[in-house]
Amino acid sequence: LLVAMVVAALFCLWRDQPRRLADRFVAAVEAKQFAEADGLIVEADRPIIEPFLKRDDRNRLTATRLPQTAIDWLAGRCFLELHGEDFSGLGARVSENFVASRHGIAKDRVGISVERARAALRTLQDPTPAPSDPILKQHLQIK
């Protein structure tokens, strides 16, 4: 019985690691420790957050950990949203989805934020040409 309890506790500790990593990322962004937050993103070959904020001193950034479902917990993942206001372009609100796993934080290739979906829908419904600003194109993924 003791061995079963130890194994269950270790399994829970292992499965809770992505949530703790996501909380650490959110805390680093809130505390403006952007180098630490950049260090938690495993797939980036260069910093992502610090260059965004250095482009314009008015740029702002917030991070949110999304609620973790039981399926996400069992799969060993926790989702995050990173929101930024980019004043170096057209003052666009930028959202990026990330997923935390036991290996670190990486961009979520599957998820789509509500803001991005609405922007894409507006682009499809609006007959005006796509924005010419390269930063806005990159963040809205308009080609």
Side-chain angles (χ1 to χ4, degrees):
L1 185 61
L2 181 62
V3 171
M5 285 177 30
V6 169
V7 168
L10 289 175
F11 176 77
C12 290
L13 185 65
W14 179 60
R15 280 292 147 207
D16 197 47
Q17 194 173 8
R19 184 197 56 78
R20 288 181 302 190
L21 184 63
D23 287 339
R24 197 167 124 202
F25 180 82
V26 170
V29 170
E30 287 176 355
K32 298 185 180 350
Q33 296 173 345
F34 302 118
E36 180 183 342
D38 269 329
L40 295 173
I41 301 174
V42 292
E43 69 176 12
D45 55 345
R46 58 184 167 57
I48 296 173
I49 296 172
E50 284 190 298
F52 171 77
L53 293 168
K54 287 181 180 177
R55 280 196 305 235
D56 192 314
D57 61 350
R58 297 173 297 166
N59 287 357
R60 288 190 294 275
L61 198 64
T62 58
T64 306
R65 181 178 64 84
L66 300 178
Q68 190 178 26
T69 66
I71 292 171
D72 290 337
W73 184 80
L74 287 172
R77 63 181 180 239
C78 186
F79 293 97
L80 301 139
E81 281 186 346
L82 192 62
H83 300 284
E85 289 190 47
D86 187 3
F87 286 96
S88 58
L90 297 175
R93 183 153 172 84
V94 180
S95 294
E96 192 68 52
N97 295 319
F98 289 87
V99 62
S101 68
R102 65 185 180 90
H103 302 292
I105 295 173
K107 284 188 178 180
D108 181 16
R109 303 285 183 221
V110 179
I112 183 167
S113 70
V114 173
E115 288 178 279
R116 185 177 296 163
R118 286 181 184 153
L121 184 59
R122 277 193 305 272
T123 303
L124 292 174
Q125 292 173 344
D126 188 7
T128 60
S132 59
D133 183 69
I135 295 172
L136 189 58
K137 275 186 183 180
Q138 176 189 358
H139 292 304
L140 294 178
Q141 295 183 349
I142 298 171
K143 297 182 182 174

Short mmCIF file of all heavy atoms in Angstrom, two decimals, residues 53-113:
data_model
loop_
_atom_site.label_atom_id
_atom_site.label_comp_id
_atom_site.label_asym_id
_atom_site.label_seq_id
_atom_site.Cartn_x
_atom_site.Cartn_y
_atom_site.Cartn_z
N LEU A 53 9.33 44.14 -26.52
CA LEU A 53 9.16 45.27 -25.61
C LEU A 53 10.15 46.40 -25.88
O LEU A 53 9.86 47.56 -25.63
CB LEU A 53 9.28 44.80 -24.17
CG LEU A 53 8.14 43.88 -23.73
CD1 LEU A 53 8.47 43.22 -22.41
CD2 LEU A 53 6.85 44.63 -23.64
N LYS A 54 11.31 46.08 -26.44
CA LYS A 54 12.32 47.10 -26.72
C LYS A 54 12.01 47.89 -27.98
O LYS A 54 12.58 48.96 -28.17
CB LYS A 54 13.70 46.46 -26.82
CG LYS A 54 14.23 46.03 -25.47
CD LYS A 54 15.60 45.42 -25.58
CE LYS A 54 16.09 45.00 -24.20
NZ LYS A 54 17.39 44.35 -24.26
N ARG A 55 11.14 47.38 -28.85
CA ARG A 55 10.81 48.10 -30.09
C ARG A 55 10.16 49.44 -29.81
O ARG A 55 10.33 50.40 -30.55
CB ARG A 55 9.87 47.26 -30.96
CG ARG A 55 10.56 46.21 -31.74
CD ARG A 55 9.67 45.70 -32.84
NE ARG A 55 8.39 45.22 -32.34
CZ ARG A 55 7.91 44.01 -32.58
NH1 ARG A 55 8.59 43.16 -33.29
NH2 ARG A 55 6.74 43.66 -32.12
N ASP A 56 9.37 49.51 -28.76
CA ASP A 56 8.67 50.75 -28.41
C ASP A 56 8.43 50.70 -26.91
O ASP A 56 7.94 49.70 -26.38
CB ASP A 56 7.34 50.83 -29.16
CG ASP A 56 6.71 52.22 -29.07
OD1 ASP A 56 6.67 52.77 -27.95
OD2 ASP A 56 6.24 52.72 -30.09
N ASP A 57 8.76 51.77 -26.20
CA ASP A 57 8.62 51.76 -24.74
C ASP A 57 7.17 51.77 -24.28
O ASP A 57 6.90 51.58 -23.10
CB ASP A 57 9.40 52.91 -24.09
CG ASP A 57 8.91 54.28 -24.55
OD1 ASP A 57 8.12 54.36 -25.50
OD2 ASP A 57 9.35 55.27 -23.94
N ARG A 58 6.21 51.94 -25.20
CA ARG A 58 4.80 51.88 -24.83
C ARG A 58 4.22 50.47 -24.94
O ARG A 58 3.11 50.21 -24.51
CB ARG A 58 3.98 52.81 -25.72
CG ARG A 58 4.36 54.27 -25.57
CD ARG A 58 3.65 55.11 -26.59
NE ARG A 58 4.10 54.71 -27.93
CZ ARG A 58 3.51 55.04 -29.06
NH1 ARG A 58 2.43 55.78 -29.05
NH2 ARG A 58 3.99 54.64 -30.22
N ASN A 59 4.97 49.55 -25.57
CA ASN A 59 4.49 48.18 -25.72
C ASN A 59 4.24 47.55 -24.35
O ASN A 59 5.01 47.74 -23.42
CB ASN A 59 5.49 47.33 -26.50
CG ASN A 59 5.52 47.67 -27.97
OD1 ASN A 59 4.76 48.50 -28.44
ND2 ASN A 59 6.40 47.01 -28.69
N ARG A 60 3.14 46.82 -24.25
CA ARG A 60 2.78 46.16 -22.99
C ARG A 60 2.58 44.67 -23.24
O ARG A 60 2.22 44.27 -24.33
CB ARG A 60 1.51 46.77 -22.42
CG ARG A 60 1.71 48.16 -21.87
CD ARG A 60 0.49 48.65 -21.11
NE ARG A 60 -0.68 48.83 -21.94
CZ ARG A 60 -0.94 49.93 -22.65
NH1 ARG A 60 -0.09 50.92 -22.64
NH2 ARG A 60 -2.04 50.03 -23.36
N LEU A 61 2.75 43.89 -22.19
CA LEU A 61 2.66 42.45 -22.31
C LEU A 61 2.01 41.87 -21.07
O LEU A 61 2.34 42.26 -19.95
CB LEU A 61 4.07 41.87 -22.48
CG LEU A 61 4.21 40.48 -23.03
CD1 LEU A 61 3.70 40.44 -24.47
CD2 LEU A 61 5.65 40.07 -23.01
N THR A 62 1.07 40.96 -21.26
CA THR A 62 0.46 40.22 -20.15
C THR A 62 0.40 38.75 -20.53
O THR A 62 0.32 38.41 -21.72
CB THR A 62 -0.97 40.71 -19.84
OG1 THR A 62 -1.77 40.59 -21.01
CG2 THR A 62 -0.97 42.15 -19.36
N ALA A 63 0.44 37.89 -19.54
CA ALA A 63 0.34 36.44 -19.76
C ALA A 63 -0.77 35.88 -18.89
O ALA A 63 -0.97 36.34 -17.76
CB ALA A 63 1.67 35.76 -19.44
N THR A 64 -1.46 34.89 -19.41
CA THR A 64 -2.56 34.26 -18.69
C THR A 64 -2.45 32.75 -18.83
O THR A 64 -2.27 32.24 -19.94
CB THR A 64 -3.92 34.69 -19.28
OG1 THR A 64 -3.98 36.11 -19.32
CG2 THR A 64 -5.08 34.15 -18.47
N ARG A 65 -2.54 32.04 -17.71
CA ARG A 65 -2.62 30.59 -17.77
C ARG A 65 -4.08 30.22 -17.90
O ARG A 65 -4.91 30.63 -17.10
CB ARG A 65 -2.03 29.93 -16.51
CG ARG A 65 -2.08 28.40 -16.58
CD ARG A 65 -1.44 27.75 -15.37
NE ARG A 65 -2.11 28.03 -14.12
CZ ARG A 65 -3.18 27.36 -13.67
NH1 ARG A 65 -3.73 26.41 -14.36
NH2 ARG A 65 -3.71 27.69 -12.51
N LEU A 66 -4.41 29.43 -18.92
CA LEU A 66 -5.78 29.02 -19.13
C LEU A 66 -6.12 27.88 -18.17
O LEU A 66 -5.24 27.15 -17.71
CB LEU A 66 -5.97 28.57 -20.58
CG LEU A 66 -5.66 29.66 -21.62
CD1 LEU A 66 -5.82 29.10 -23.02
CD2 LEU A 66 -6.56 30.86 -21.43
N PRO A 67 -7.41 27.72 -17.84
CA PRO A 67 -7.78 26.63 -16.93
C PRO A 67 -7.34 25.28 -17.50
O PRO A 67 -7.48 25.02 -18.69
CB PRO A 67 -9.31 26.73 -16.88
CG PRO A 67 -9.63 28.12 -17.29
CD PRO A 67 -8.55 28.53 -18.24
N GLN A 68 -6.80 24.46 -16.65
CA GLN A 68 -6.30 23.15 -17.06
C GLN A 68 -7.38 22.10 -16.83
O GLN A 68 -7.83 21.89 -15.72
CB GLN A 68 -5.04 22.80 -16.27
CG GLN A 68 -4.30 21.59 -16.77
CD GLN A 68 -3.04 21.33 -15.97
OE1 GLN A 68 -2.94 21.71 -14.81
NE2 GLN A 68 -2.08 20.67 -16.58
N THR A 69 -7.79 21.44 -17.91
CA THR A 69 -8.80 20.39 -17.80
C THR A 69 -8.14 19.10 -17.31
O THR A 69 -6.90 18.98 -17.32
CB THR A 69 -9.47 20.13 -19.16
OG1 THR A 69 -8.49 19.59 -20.06
CG2 THR A 69 -10.08 21.39 -19.74
N ALA A 70 -8.97 18.16 -16.91
CA ALA A 70 -8.44 16.86 -16.46
C ALA A 70 -7.70 16.15 -17.60
O ALA A 70 -6.66 15.52 -17.38
CB ALA A 70 -9.58 15.99 -15.94
N ILE A 71 -8.20 16.30 -18.81
CA ILE A 71 -7.54 15.67 -19.97
C ILE A 71 -6.18 16.33 -20.21
O ILE A 71 -5.20 15.63 -20.50
CB ILE A 71 -8.45 15.77 -21.21
CG1 ILE A 71 -9.68 14.89 -21.01
CG2 ILE A 71 -7.70 15.36 -22.47
CD1 ILE A 71 -10.75 15.04 -22.06
N ASP A 72 -6.12 17.65 -20.09
CA ASP A 72 -4.84 18.34 -20.24
C ASP A 72 -3.86 17.89 -19.15
O ASP A 72 -2.67 17.68 -19.42
CB ASP A 72 -5.01 19.86 -20.16
CG ASP A 72 -5.72 20.43 -21.37
OD1 ASP A 72 -5.71 19.79 -22.44
OD2 ASP A 72 -6.30 21.53 -21.23
N TRP A 73 -4.35 17.74 -17.94
CA TRP A 73 -3.49 17.32 -16.84
C TRP A 73 -2.94 15.92 -17.10
O TRP A 73 -1.75 15.66 -16.94
CB TRP A 73 -4.26 17.36 -15.52
CG TRP A 73 -3.42 17.04 -14.33
CD1 TRP A 73 -2.58 17.88 -13.67
CD2 TRP A 73 -3.33 15.78 -13.66
NE1 TRP A 73 -1.97 17.22 -12.64
CE2 TRP A 73 -2.41 15.93 -12.61
CE3 TRP A 73 -3.93 14.54 -13.85
CZ2 TRP A 73 -2.08 14.89 -11.75
CZ3 TRP A 73 -3.60 13.50 -12.99
CH2 TRP A 73 -2.69 13.69 -11.95
N LEU A 74 -3.81 15.01 -17.53
CA LEU A 74 -3.37 13.65 -17.82
C LEU A 74 -2.40 13.60 -19.01
O LEU A 74 -1.49 12.78 -19.04
CB LEU A 74 -4.57 12.74 -18.09
CG LEU A 74 -5.38 12.36 -16.86
CD1 LEU A 74 -6.65 11.62 -17.27
CD2 LEU A 74 -4.56 11.52 -15.90
N ALA A 75 -2.61 14.50 -19.98
CA ALA A 75 -1.73 14.55 -21.14
C ALA A 75 -0.42 15.27 -20.84
O ALA A 75 0.51 15.26 -21.65
CB ALA A 75 -2.44 15.24 -22.31
N GLY A 76 -0.34 15.92 -19.69
CA GLY A 76 0.89 16.61 -19.30
C GLY A 76 1.09 17.92 -20.03
O GLY A 76 2.19 18.21 -20.48
N ARG A 77 0.01 18.70 -20.16
CA ARG A 77 0.13 20.00 -20.83
C ARG A 77 -0.73 21.03 -20.14
O ARG A 77 -1.70 20.71 -19.46
CB ARG A 77 -0.24 19.88 -22.31
CG ARG A 77 -1.67 19.48 -22.52
CD ARG A 77 -2.01 19.36 -24.00
NE ARG A 77 -3.40 18.96 -24.11
CZ ARG A 77 -3.83 17.88 -24.70
NH1 ARG A 77 -2.98 17.06 -25.27
NH2 ARG A 77 -5.11 17.59 -24.74
N CYS A 78 -0.36 22.29 -20.33
CA CYS A 78 -1.08 23.41 -19.76
C CYS A 78 -0.96 24.57 -20.76
O CYS A 78 0.12 24.86 -21.25
CB CYS A 78 -0.49 23.81 -18.42
SG CYS A 78 -1.43 25.07 -17.56
N PHE A 79 -2.08 25.20 -21.10
CA PHE A 79 -2.09 26.22 -22.14
C PHE A 79 -1.98 27.62 -21.55
O PHE A 79 -2.49 27.90 -20.47
CB PHE A 79 -3.36 26.10 -22.98
CG PHE A 79 -3.39 24.83 -23.78
CD1 PHE A 79 -4.07 23.71 -23.33
CD2 PHE A 79 -2.72 24.75 -25.00
CE1 PHE A 79 -4.09 22.54 -24.06
CE2 PHE A 79 -2.73 23.59 -25.73
CZ PHE A 79 -3.42 22.47 -25.26
N LEU A 80 -1.31 28.50 -22.30
CA LEU A 80 -1.10 29.89 -21.91
C LEU A 80 -1.44 30.79 -23.08
O LEU A 80 -1.34 30.39 -24.23
CB LEU A 80 0.39 30.14 -21.61
CG LEU A 80 1.03 29.32 -20.52
CD1 LEU A 80 2.41 28.91 -20.93
CD2 LEU A 80 1.12 30.18 -19.30
N GLU A 81 -1.82 32.01 -22.75
CA GLU A 81 -1.99 33.04 -23.76
C GLU A 81 -1.10 34.21 -23.38
O GLU A 81 -1.06 34.62 -22.23
CB GLU A 81 -3.44 33.51 -23.86
CG GLU A 81 -4.32 32.57 -24.63
CD GLU A 81 -5.72 33.13 -24.83
OE1 GLU A 81 -6.09 34.11 -24.15
OE2 GLU A 81 -6.44 32.57 -25.65
N LEU A 82 -0.39 34.73 -24.36
CA LEU A 82 0.46 35.89 -24.18
C LEU A 82 -0.15 37.02 -25.01
O LEU A 82 -0.35 36.87 -26.21
CB LEU A 82 1.87 35.57 -24.67
CG LEU A 82 2.98 36.53 -24.32
CD1 LEU A 82 3.17 36.62 -22.81
CD2 LEU A 82 4.29 36.10 -24.96
N HIS A 83 -0.50 38.11 -24.35
CA HIS A 83 -1.14 39.25 -25.02
C HIS A 83 -0.19 40.44 -24.97
O HIS A 83 0.36 40.75 -23.93
CB HIS A 83 -2.45 39.64 -24.31
CG HIS A 83 -3.46 38.55 -24.28
ND1 HIS A 83 -4.20 38.20 -25.37
CD2 HIS A 83 -3.83 37.72 -23.29
CE1 HIS A 83 -5.01 37.20 -25.05
NE2 HIS A 83 -4.80 36.88 -23.79
N GLY A 84 -0.07 41.09 -26.10
CA GLY A 84 0.77 42.27 -26.17
C GLY A 84 0.10 43.38 -26.94
O GLY A 84 -0.71 43.11 -27.84
N GLU A 85 0.40 44.60 -26.58
CA GLU A 85 -0.06 45.75 -27.34
C GLU A 85 1.16 46.32 -28.03
O GLU A 85 2.10 46.76 -27.38
CB GLU A 85 -0.73 46.77 -26.44
CG GLU A 85 -2.06 46.28 -25.93
CD GLU A 85 -2.86 47.36 -25.24
OE1 GLU A 85 -2.96 48.46 -25.80
OE2 GLU A 85 -3.35 47.08 -24.14
N ASP A 86 1.13 46.27 -29.36
CA ASP A 86 2.27 46.66 -30.18
C ASP A 86 2.05 48.05 -30.73
O ASP A 86 1.25 48.25 -31.64
CB ASP A 86 2.44 45.65 -31.31
CG ASP A 86 3.69 45.88 -32.11
OD1 ASP A 86 4.46 46.79 -31.77
OD2 ASP A 86 3.91 45.14 -33.08
N PHE A 87 2.75 49.03 -30.20
CA PHE A 87 2.60 50.41 -30.64
C PHE A 87 3.60 50.78 -31.73
O PHE A 87 3.53 51.86 -32.29
CB PHE A 87 2.74 51.37 -29.46
CG PHE A 87 1.54 51.35 -28.57
CD1 PHE A 87 1.53 50.56 -27.43
CD2 PHE A 87 0.42 52.08 -28.88
CE1 PHE A 87 0.42 50.52 -26.60
CE2 PHE A 87 -0.69 52.05 -28.06
CZ PHE A 87 -0.70 51.27 -26.93
N SER A 88 4.55 49.89 -32.05
CA SER A 88 5.50 50.21 -33.10
C SER A 88 4.89 49.98 -34.47
O SER A 88 5.39 50.50 -35.46
CB SER A 88 6.78 49.38 -32.93
OG SER A 88 6.47 48.01 -32.96
N GLY A 89 3.81 49.23 -34.55
CA GLY A 89 3.10 49.04 -35.81
C GLY A 89 1.92 49.98 -35.85
O GLY A 89 2.07 51.19 -35.84
N LEU A 90 0.72 49.43 -35.82
CA LEU A 90 -0.49 50.24 -35.86
C LEU A 90 -1.23 50.24 -34.53
O LEU A 90 -2.41 50.54 -34.47
CB LEU A 90 -1.43 49.71 -36.96
CG LEU A 90 -0.88 49.79 -38.37
CD1 LEU A 90 -1.85 49.13 -39.33
CD2 LEU A 90 -0.66 51.23 -38.76
N GLY A 91 -0.56 49.88 -33.47
CA GLY A 91 -1.22 49.80 -32.18
C GLY A 91 -2.07 48.56 -32.06
O GLY A 91 -3.09 48.54 -31.40
N ALA A 92 -1.65 47.49 -32.72
CA ALA A 92 -2.42 46.25 -32.76
C ALA A 92 -2.28 45.48 -31.46
O ALA A 92 -1.25 45.55 -30.79
CB ALA A 92 -1.94 45.38 -33.92
N ARG A 93 -3.33 44.77 -31.11
CA ARG A 93 -3.28 43.85 -29.97
C ARG A 93 -2.88 42.49 -30.52
O ARG A 93 -3.51 41.96 -31.42
CB ARG A 93 -4.63 43.77 -29.28
CG ARG A 93 -4.61 42.89 -28.06
CD ARG A 93 -5.67 43.31 -27.07
NE ARG A 93 -5.79 42.37 -25.98
CZ ARG A 93 -5.02 42.37 -24.91
NH1 ARG A 93 -4.08 43.26 -24.79
NH2 ARG A 93 -5.19 41.49 -23.94
N VAL A 94 -1.81 41.95 -29.97
CA VAL A 94 -1.22 40.71 -30.46
C VAL A 94 -1.47 39.61 -29.42
O VAL A 94 -1.26 39.83 -28.23
CB VAL A 94 0.30 40.90 -30.66
CG1 VAL A 94 0.93 39.62 -31.16
CG2 VAL A 94 0.57 42.05 -31.59
N SER A 95 -1.91 38.46 -29.88
CA SER A 95 -2.11 37.31 -28.99
C SER A 95 -1.35 36.12 -29.55
O SER A 95 -1.37 35.87 -30.75
CB SER A 95 -3.58 36.95 -28.88
OG SER A 95 -4.29 37.96 -28.24
N GLU A 96 -0.70 35.41 -28.66
CA GLU A 96 0.02 34.20 -29.06
C GLU A 96 -0.29 33.11 -28.05
O GLU A 96 -0.34 33.36 -26.86
CB GLU A 96 1.52 34.49 -29.09
CG GLU A 96 2.33 33.42 -29.76
CD GLU A 96 2.08 33.32 -31.25
OE1 GLU A 96 2.15 34.35 -31.94
OE2 GLU A 96 1.81 32.20 -31.73
N ASN A 97 -0.53 31.91 -28.56
CA ASN A 97 -0.84 30.77 -27.70
C ASN A 97 0.41 29.93 -27.48
O ASN A 97 1.17 29.70 -28.41
CB ASN A 97 -1.93 29.91 -28.33
CG ASN A 97 -3.24 30.65 -28.45
OD1 ASN A 97 -3.63 31.35 -27.54
ND2 ASN A 97 -3.91 30.50 -29.57
N PHE A 98 0.58 29.49 -26.25
CA PHE A 98 1.70 28.64 -25.88
C PHE A 98 1.18 27.44 -25.13
O PHE A 98 0.10 27.48 -24.54
CB PHE A 98 2.70 29.40 -24.99
CG PHE A 98 3.48 30.45 -25.71
CD1 PHE A 98 2.98 31.74 -25.84
CD2 PHE A 98 4.71 30.16 -26.26
CE1 PHE A 98 3.69 32.72 -26.50
CE2 PHE A 98 5.44 31.14 -26.93
CZ PHE A 98 4.92 32.42 -27.04
N VAL A 99 1.96 26.37 -25.14
CA VAL A 99 1.63 25.18 -24.36
C VAL A 99 2.84 24.81 -23.52
O VAL A 99 3.97 24.81 -24.00
CB VAL A 99 1.17 24.00 -25.27
CG1 VAL A 99 2.27 23.58 -26.22
CG2 VAL A 99 0.68 22.83 -24.45
N ALA A 100 2.58 24.58 -22.25
CA ALA A 100 3.64 24.16 -21.33
C ALA A 100 3.58 22.65 -21.17
O ALA A 100 2.50 22.07 -21.04
CB ALA A 100 3.45 24.82 -19.97
N SER A 101 4.73 22.03 -21.25
CA SER A 101 4.84 20.59 -21.00
C SER A 101 6.01 20.39 -20.05
O SER A 101 6.63 21.36 -19.61
CB SER A 101 5.09 19.84 -22.32
OG SER A 101 6.37 20.15 -22.83
N ARG A 102 6.34 19.17 -19.76
CA ARG A 102 7.45 18.94 -18.83
C ARG A 102 8.79 19.33 -19.45
O ARG A 102 9.77 19.51 -18.76
CB ARG A 102 7.48 17.49 -18.35
CG ARG A 102 7.74 16.49 -19.42
CD ARG A 102 7.63 15.06 -18.87
NE ARG A 102 7.87 14.10 -19.91
CZ ARG A 102 9.07 13.61 -20.20
NH1 ARG A 102 10.11 14.00 -19.51
NH2 ARG A 102 9.22 12.73 -21.17
N HIS A 103 8.82 19.52 -20.78
CA HIS A 103 10.05 19.90 -21.47
C HIS A 103 10.25 21.41 -21.49
O HIS A 103 11.34 21.88 -21.76
CB HIS A 103 10.03 19.38 -22.90
CG HIS A 103 9.86 17.90 -22.98
ND1 HIS A 103 10.82 17.02 -22.55
CD2 HIS A 103 8.83 17.15 -23.41
CE1 HIS A 103 10.40 15.79 -22.72
NE2 HIS A 103 9.19 15.83 -23.24
N GLY A 104 9.19 22.17 -21.28
CA GLY A 104 9.28 23.63 -21.32
C GLY A 104 8.05 24.21 -22.00
O GLY A 104 7.03 23.54 -22.17
N ILE A 105 8.16 25.46 -22.42
CA ILE A 105 7.04 26.16 -23.05
C ILE A 105 7.35 26.33 -24.53
O ILE A 105 8.46 26.72 -24.90
CB ILE A 105 6.82 27.52 -22.37
CG1 ILE A 105 6.39 27.30 -20.91
CG2 ILE A 105 5.78 28.35 -23.11
CD1 ILE A 105 6.30 28.55 -20.08
N ALA A 106 6.36 26.03 -25.36
CA ALA A 106 6.51 26.15 -26.81
C ALA A 106 5.26 26.78 -27.39
O ALA A 106 4.19 26.77 -26.76
CB ALA A 106 6.75 24.77 -27.43
N LYS A 107 5.37 27.33 -28.59
CA LYS A 107 4.20 27.89 -29.25
C LYS A 107 3.21 26.78 -29.53
O LYS A 107 3.59 25.69 -29.93
CB LYS A 107 4.58 28.59 -30.55
CG LYS A 107 5.23 29.92 -30.34
CD LYS A 107 5.41 30.64 -31.65
CE LYS A 107 6.02 32.00 -31.40
NZ LYS A 107 6.22 32.75 -32.63
N ASP A 108 1.94 27.08 -29.32
CA ASP A 108 0.88 26.11 -29.57
C ASP A 108 0.57 26.14 -31.06
O ASP A 108 0.09 27.14 -31.58
CB ASP A 108 -0.35 26.47 -28.74
CG ASP A 108 -1.48 25.48 -28.93
OD1 ASP A 108 -1.24 24.38 -29.44
OD2 ASP A 108 -2.62 25.82 -28.55
N ARG A 109 0.81 25.06 -31.75
CA ARG A 109 0.61 25.00 -33.19
C ARG A 109 -0.84 24.70 -33.56
O ARG A 109 -1.24 24.88 -34.70
CB ARG A 109 1.50 23.94 -33.81
CG ARG A 109 2.95 24.14 -33.54
CD ARG A 109 3.50 25.26 -34.37
NE ARG A 109 4.93 25.40 -34.14
CZ ARG A 109 5.53 26.54 -34.03
NH1 ARG A 109 4.86 27.66 -34.10
NH2 ARG A 109 6.82 26.61 -33.82
N VAL A 110 -1.64 24.25 -32.60
CA VAL A 110 -3.01 23.86 -32.89
C VAL A 110 -4.01 24.91 -32.48
O VAL A 110 -4.95 25.22 -33.20
CB VAL A 110 -3.34 22.51 -32.19
CG1 VAL A 110 -4.76 22.10 -32.46
CG2 VAL A 110 -2.37 21.45 -32.64
N GLY A 111 -3.82 25.48 -31.29
CA GLY A 111 -4.81 26.40 -30.74
C GLY A 111 -4.90 27.71 -31.50
O GLY A 111 -3.98 28.11 -32.21
N ILE A 112 -6.02 28.37 -31.35
CA ILE A 112 -6.22 29.69 -31.95
C ILE A 112 -6.97 30.54 -30.94
O ILE A 112 -7.94 30.10 -30.34
CB ILE A 112 -6.97 29.60 -33.28
CG1 ILE A 112 -7.09 30.98 -33.92
CG2 ILE A 112 -8.31 28.96 -33.14
CD1 ILE A 112 -7.53 30.95 -35.36
N SER A 113 -6.49 31.73 -30.74
CA SER A 113 -7.15 32.59 -29.77
C SER A 113 -8.41 33.20 -30.37
O SER A 113 -8.55 33.30 -31.59
CB SER A 113 -6.21 33.71 -29.32
OG SER A 113 -6.00 34.63 -30.36
#
